[in-house]
Short mmCIF file of all heavy atoms in Angstrom, two decimals:
data_model
loop_
_atom_site.label_atom_id
_atom_site.label_comp_id
_atom_site.label_asym_id
_atom_site.label_seq_id
_atom_site.Cartn_x
_atom_site.Cartn_y
_atom_site.Cartn_z
N GLN A 29 2.95 -2.02 -113.64
CA GLN A 29 3.58 -3.22 -113.06
C GLN A 29 2.97 -4.52 -113.63
O GLN A 29 3.62 -5.58 -113.65
CB GLN A 29 3.40 -3.26 -111.54
CG GLN A 29 4.23 -2.16 -110.89
CD GLN A 29 3.98 -2.09 -109.40
OE1 GLN A 29 3.19 -2.78 -108.82
NE2 GLN A 29 4.74 -1.21 -108.74
N SER A 30 1.71 -4.50 -114.09
CA SER A 30 1.02 -5.73 -114.45
C SER A 30 0.87 -5.99 -115.93
O SER A 30 0.84 -7.12 -116.39
CB SER A 30 -0.39 -5.72 -113.81
OG SER A 30 -0.30 -5.55 -112.43
N VAL A 31 0.70 -4.93 -116.73
CA VAL A 31 0.40 -5.10 -118.15
C VAL A 31 1.65 -4.98 -118.97
O VAL A 31 2.44 -4.04 -118.77
CB VAL A 31 -0.65 -4.09 -118.60
CG1 VAL A 31 -0.96 -4.17 -120.07
CG2 VAL A 31 -1.94 -4.22 -117.78
N LYS A 32 1.88 -5.92 -119.87
CA LYS A 32 3.07 -5.89 -120.72
C LYS A 32 2.93 -4.74 -121.72
O LYS A 32 2.00 -4.66 -122.48
CB LYS A 32 3.22 -7.20 -121.46
CG LYS A 32 3.53 -8.38 -120.55
CD LYS A 32 3.65 -9.67 -121.34
CE LYS A 32 3.89 -10.84 -120.41
NZ LYS A 32 3.89 -12.12 -121.20
N PRO A 33 3.93 -3.87 -121.74
CA PRO A 33 3.87 -2.68 -122.61
C PRO A 33 3.71 -2.99 -124.08
O PRO A 33 3.07 -2.28 -124.81
CB PRO A 33 5.19 -1.99 -122.36
CG PRO A 33 5.62 -2.44 -121.03
CD PRO A 33 5.12 -3.86 -120.88
N LYS A 34 4.29 -4.12 -124.54
CA LYS A 34 4.26 -4.39 -125.97
C LYS A 34 2.89 -4.79 -126.49
O LYS A 34 2.65 -4.81 -127.67
CB LYS A 34 5.28 -5.48 -126.35
CG LYS A 34 5.00 -6.84 -125.75
CD LYS A 34 6.04 -7.86 -126.15
CE LYS A 34 5.76 -9.21 -125.61
NZ LYS A 34 6.76 -10.16 -125.98
N PHE A 35 1.96 -5.12 -125.55
CA PHE A 35 0.63 -5.57 -125.97
C PHE A 35 -0.40 -4.44 -125.95
O PHE A 35 -1.31 -4.40 -126.76
CB PHE A 35 0.12 -6.69 -125.07
CG PHE A 35 0.84 -7.99 -125.33
CD1 PHE A 35 1.73 -8.50 -124.41
CD2 PHE A 35 0.61 -8.69 -126.52
CE1 PHE A 35 2.42 -9.64 -124.62
CE2 PHE A 35 1.30 -9.90 -126.71
CZ PHE A 35 2.20 -10.39 -125.77
N LEU A 36 -0.26 -3.49 -125.02
CA LEU A 36 -1.30 -2.47 -124.86
C LEU A 36 -1.27 -1.48 -126.00
O LEU A 36 -0.33 -0.73 -126.12
CB LEU A 36 -1.13 -1.74 -123.49
CG LEU A 36 -2.28 -0.82 -123.11
CD1 LEU A 36 -3.57 -1.56 -122.95
CD2 LEU A 36 -1.94 -0.06 -121.87
N SER A 37 -2.34 -1.47 -126.78
CA SER A 37 -2.42 -0.56 -127.92
C SER A 37 -3.49 0.53 -127.77
O SER A 37 -3.43 1.55 -128.43
CB SER A 37 -2.60 -1.33 -129.22
OG SER A 37 -3.85 -2.02 -129.20
N HIS A 38 -4.48 0.27 -126.90
CA HIS A 38 -5.58 1.22 -126.71
C HIS A 38 -5.75 1.50 -125.20
O HIS A 38 -5.94 0.55 -124.44
CB HIS A 38 -6.87 0.66 -127.23
CG HIS A 38 -6.92 0.50 -128.72
ND1 HIS A 38 -6.15 -0.43 -129.40
CD2 HIS A 38 -7.66 1.13 -129.66
CE1 HIS A 38 -6.40 -0.32 -130.69
NE2 HIS A 38 -7.30 0.60 -130.86
N LEU A 39 -5.66 2.76 -124.83
CA LEU A 39 -5.83 3.17 -123.43
C LEU A 39 -6.81 4.32 -123.36
O LEU A 39 -6.54 5.38 -123.98
CB LEU A 39 -4.48 3.54 -122.80
CG LEU A 39 -4.52 3.93 -121.33
CD1 LEU A 39 -5.10 2.87 -120.45
CD2 LEU A 39 -3.13 4.35 -120.88
N THR A 40 -7.88 4.14 -122.64
CA THR A 40 -8.87 5.19 -122.46
C THR A 40 -8.98 5.52 -120.95
O THR A 40 -9.35 4.67 -120.16
CB THR A 40 -10.26 4.79 -122.99
OG1 THR A 40 -10.16 4.58 -124.38
CG2 THR A 40 -11.29 5.84 -122.70
N LEU A 41 -8.70 6.76 -120.67
CA LEU A 41 -8.84 7.31 -119.31
C LEU A 41 -9.82 8.48 -119.32
O LEU A 41 -9.86 9.23 -118.39
CB LEU A 41 -7.48 7.75 -118.75
CG LEU A 41 -6.39 6.67 -118.73
CD1 LEU A 41 -5.07 7.32 -118.35
CD2 LEU A 41 -6.75 5.55 -117.81
N ALA A 42 -10.57 8.59 -120.35
CA ALA A 42 -11.41 9.74 -120.57
C ALA A 42 -12.42 10.01 -119.49
O ALA A 42 -13.08 9.05 -119.00
CB ALA A 42 -12.16 9.60 -121.94
N LYS A 43 -12.57 11.26 -119.17
CA LYS A 43 -13.59 11.72 -118.22
C LYS A 43 -13.48 11.07 -116.85
O LYS A 43 -14.45 11.03 -116.10
CB LYS A 43 -15.00 11.53 -118.78
CG LYS A 43 -15.23 12.28 -120.08
CD LYS A 43 -16.60 12.02 -120.63
CE LYS A 43 -16.73 12.67 -121.99
NZ LYS A 43 -17.95 12.29 -122.66
N ALA A 44 -12.31 10.55 -116.54
CA ALA A 44 -12.12 9.93 -115.25
C ALA A 44 -12.21 10.91 -114.14
O ALA A 44 -12.55 10.58 -113.01
CB ALA A 44 -10.80 9.20 -115.19
N ASN A 45 -11.94 12.16 -114.40
CA ASN A 45 -11.99 13.19 -113.41
C ASN A 45 -12.83 14.38 -113.86
O ASN A 45 -12.37 15.45 -114.13
CB ASN A 45 -10.56 13.72 -113.10
CG ASN A 45 -9.66 12.63 -112.63
OD1 ASN A 45 -10.05 11.81 -111.80
ND2 ASN A 45 -8.48 12.56 -113.18
N ILE A 46 -14.13 14.14 -114.00
CA ILE A 46 -15.00 15.17 -114.65
C ILE A 46 -15.46 16.24 -113.70
O ILE A 46 -15.93 17.27 -114.15
CB ILE A 46 -16.19 14.47 -115.31
CG1 ILE A 46 -17.05 13.71 -114.29
CG2 ILE A 46 -15.75 13.58 -116.44
CD1 ILE A 46 -18.35 13.18 -114.88
N MET A 47 -15.35 16.04 -112.38
CA MET A 47 -15.84 17.08 -111.49
C MET A 47 -14.87 18.23 -111.44
O MET A 47 -13.65 18.09 -111.62
CB MET A 47 -16.03 16.50 -110.07
CG MET A 47 -17.05 15.44 -110.03
SD MET A 47 -17.41 14.81 -108.39
CE MET A 47 -15.82 14.56 -107.65
N GLN A 48 -15.41 19.43 -111.24
CA GLN A 48 -14.56 20.61 -111.07
C GLN A 48 -13.76 20.44 -109.79
O GLN A 48 -14.27 19.99 -108.79
CB GLN A 48 -15.41 21.89 -110.96
CG GLN A 48 -16.09 22.26 -112.22
CD GLN A 48 -15.09 22.75 -113.28
OE1 GLN A 48 -13.92 22.86 -113.05
NE2 GLN A 48 -15.63 23.10 -114.44
N ARG A 49 -12.49 20.75 -109.86
CA ARG A 49 -11.64 20.53 -108.70
C ARG A 49 -10.97 21.85 -108.31
O ARG A 49 -10.64 22.65 -109.15
CB ARG A 49 -10.48 19.51 -109.08
CG ARG A 49 -11.06 18.26 -109.70
CD ARG A 49 -10.80 17.12 -108.83
NE ARG A 49 -11.22 15.89 -109.52
CZ ARG A 49 -11.92 14.98 -108.89
NH1 ARG A 49 -12.23 15.08 -107.65
NH2 ARG A 49 -12.27 13.89 -109.56
N THR A 50 -10.78 22.00 -107.01
CA THR A 50 -10.01 23.17 -106.56
C THR A 50 -8.52 22.87 -106.68
O THR A 50 -8.14 21.68 -106.86
CB THR A 50 -10.32 23.47 -105.08
OG1 THR A 50 -9.92 22.37 -104.29
CG2 THR A 50 -11.83 23.73 -104.86
N GLN A 51 -7.72 23.85 -106.65
CA GLN A 51 -6.25 23.62 -106.74
C GLN A 51 -5.78 22.64 -105.69
O GLN A 51 -4.94 21.78 -105.94
CB GLN A 51 -5.53 24.96 -106.64
CG GLN A 51 -4.07 24.86 -107.02
CD GLN A 51 -3.84 24.49 -108.47
OE1 GLN A 51 -4.70 24.69 -109.31
NE2 GLN A 51 -2.74 23.94 -108.81
N ALA A 52 -6.28 22.75 -104.45
CA ALA A 52 -5.85 21.84 -103.38
C ALA A 52 -6.27 20.40 -103.68
O ALA A 52 -5.53 19.46 -103.36
CB ALA A 52 -6.44 22.28 -102.04
N SER A 53 -7.46 20.21 -104.27
CA SER A 53 -7.93 18.84 -104.49
C SER A 53 -7.24 18.19 -105.64
O SER A 53 -7.34 16.97 -105.83
CB SER A 53 -9.45 18.85 -104.71
OG SER A 53 -9.75 19.41 -105.95
N LEU A 54 -6.45 18.93 -106.45
CA LEU A 54 -5.74 18.32 -107.54
C LEU A 54 -4.63 17.38 -107.07
O LEU A 54 -4.11 16.60 -107.87
CB LEU A 54 -5.12 19.42 -108.42
CG LEU A 54 -6.12 20.20 -109.25
CD1 LEU A 54 -5.39 21.33 -110.02
CD2 LEU A 54 -6.88 19.36 -110.20
N ARG A 55 -4.33 17.45 -105.79
CA ARG A 55 -3.28 16.60 -105.27
C ARG A 55 -3.89 15.44 -104.45
O ARG A 55 -3.15 14.65 -103.83
CB ARG A 55 -2.31 17.38 -104.36
CG ARG A 55 -1.50 18.36 -105.16
CD ARG A 55 -0.55 19.15 -104.26
NE ARG A 55 0.24 20.08 -105.00
CZ ARG A 55 -0.23 21.28 -105.39
NH1 ARG A 55 -1.46 21.67 -105.11
NH2 ARG A 55 0.53 22.13 -106.05
N SER A 56 -5.19 15.27 -104.52
CA SER A 56 -5.81 14.22 -103.75
C SER A 56 -5.56 12.87 -104.38
O SER A 56 -5.27 12.76 -105.57
CB SER A 56 -7.33 14.47 -103.63
OG SER A 56 -7.91 14.26 -104.87
N PRO A 57 -5.69 11.76 -103.58
CA PRO A 57 -5.40 10.43 -104.12
C PRO A 57 -6.35 10.00 -105.26
O PRO A 57 -5.98 9.10 -106.01
CB PRO A 57 -5.61 9.54 -102.91
CG PRO A 57 -5.60 10.39 -101.75
CD PRO A 57 -5.98 11.76 -102.19
N GLY A 58 -7.47 10.63 -105.43
CA GLY A 58 -8.42 10.24 -106.46
C GLY A 58 -8.16 10.86 -107.82
O GLY A 58 -8.94 10.70 -108.76
N ILE A 59 -7.05 11.54 -107.96
CA ILE A 59 -6.72 12.23 -109.23
C ILE A 59 -5.47 11.60 -109.84
O ILE A 59 -4.56 11.21 -109.15
CB ILE A 59 -6.44 13.74 -108.93
CG1 ILE A 59 -7.61 14.41 -108.32
CG2 ILE A 59 -5.95 14.42 -110.19
CD1 ILE A 59 -8.76 14.58 -109.27
N LEU A 60 -5.51 11.47 -111.13
CA LEU A 60 -4.35 10.98 -111.84
C LEU A 60 -3.42 12.16 -112.09
O LEU A 60 -3.72 13.07 -112.85
CB LEU A 60 -4.79 10.36 -113.17
CG LEU A 60 -3.78 9.56 -113.98
CD1 LEU A 60 -3.17 8.44 -113.15
CD2 LEU A 60 -4.43 9.05 -115.23
N GLN A 61 -2.29 12.17 -111.45
CA GLN A 61 -1.32 13.25 -111.50
C GLN A 61 -0.56 13.24 -112.83
O GLN A 61 -0.43 12.24 -113.48
CB GLN A 61 -0.35 13.20 -110.33
CG GLN A 61 -0.96 13.33 -108.96
CD GLN A 61 -1.60 14.66 -108.74
OE1 GLN A 61 -1.13 15.70 -109.26
NE2 GLN A 61 -2.67 14.74 -107.96
N GLU A 62 -0.02 14.39 -113.17
CA GLU A 62 0.78 14.52 -114.37
C GLU A 62 1.95 13.53 -114.38
O GLU A 62 2.22 12.91 -115.41
CB GLU A 62 1.36 15.99 -114.48
CG GLU A 62 2.25 16.14 -115.67
CD GLU A 62 2.98 17.50 -115.66
OE1 GLU A 62 3.27 18.02 -114.57
OE2 GLU A 62 3.28 17.98 -116.75
N SER A 63 2.58 13.31 -113.25
CA SER A 63 3.71 12.38 -113.20
C SER A 63 3.30 10.95 -113.56
O SER A 63 4.02 10.22 -114.22
CB SER A 63 4.34 12.39 -111.79
OG SER A 63 3.39 12.07 -110.78
N SER A 64 2.08 10.54 -113.15
CA SER A 64 1.59 9.19 -113.51
C SER A 64 1.24 9.14 -114.98
O SER A 64 1.52 8.09 -115.64
CB SER A 64 0.34 8.84 -112.71
OG SER A 64 0.71 8.67 -111.33
N LEU A 65 0.69 10.21 -115.52
CA LEU A 65 0.40 10.24 -116.98
C LEU A 65 1.71 10.14 -117.80
O LEU A 65 1.76 9.40 -118.78
CB LEU A 65 -0.34 11.50 -117.33
CG LEU A 65 -1.80 11.56 -116.86
CD1 LEU A 65 -2.33 13.00 -116.92
CD2 LEU A 65 -2.67 10.64 -117.66
N LEU A 66 2.75 10.84 -117.33
CA LEU A 66 4.04 10.79 -118.00
C LEU A 66 4.62 9.38 -117.95
O LEU A 66 5.13 8.87 -118.93
CB LEU A 66 5.01 11.76 -117.32
CG LEU A 66 4.82 13.22 -117.66
CD1 LEU A 66 5.60 14.12 -116.68
CD2 LEU A 66 5.27 13.50 -119.07
N THR A 67 4.50 8.71 -116.82
CA THR A 67 4.97 7.35 -116.66
C THR A 67 4.18 6.40 -117.57
O THR A 67 4.80 5.50 -118.20
CB THR A 67 4.89 6.92 -115.21
OG1 THR A 67 5.65 7.81 -114.41
CG2 THR A 67 5.50 5.52 -115.02
N LEU A 68 2.91 6.57 -117.66
CA LEU A 68 2.10 5.70 -118.53
C LEU A 68 2.50 5.81 -119.98
O LEU A 68 2.71 4.80 -120.65
CB LEU A 68 0.60 6.03 -118.37
CG LEU A 68 -0.09 5.58 -117.11
CD1 LEU A 68 -1.48 6.21 -117.00
CD2 LEU A 68 -0.22 4.05 -117.07
N VAL A 69 2.63 7.05 -120.49
CA VAL A 69 2.98 7.20 -121.92
C VAL A 69 4.45 6.87 -122.17
O VAL A 69 4.79 6.61 -123.31
CB VAL A 69 2.56 8.57 -122.47
CG1 VAL A 69 1.07 8.80 -122.41
CG2 VAL A 69 3.34 9.73 -121.80
N SER A 70 5.23 6.87 -121.15
CA SER A 70 6.65 6.54 -121.35
C SER A 70 6.83 5.00 -121.36
O SER A 70 7.78 4.47 -121.97
CB SER A 70 7.52 7.14 -120.25
OG SER A 70 7.48 8.55 -120.38
#
Side-chain angles (χ1 to χ4, degrees):
Q29 292 175 357
S30 303
V31 178
K32 293 180 183 175
K34 66 180 181 180
F35 289 107
L36 188 63
S37 62
H38 293 68
L39 179 60
T40 296
L41 303 173
K43 300 177 186 172
N45 300 315
I46 60 173
M47 297 187 312
Q48 291 289 359
R49 310 245 184 225
T50 64
Q51 193 63 24
S53 71
L54 290 177
R55 292 181 182 79
S56 72
I59 299 290
L60 190 58
Q61 297 295 329
E62 177 189 31
S63 58
S64 292
L65 289 165
L66 284 165
T67 304
L68 285 169
V69 299
S70 296

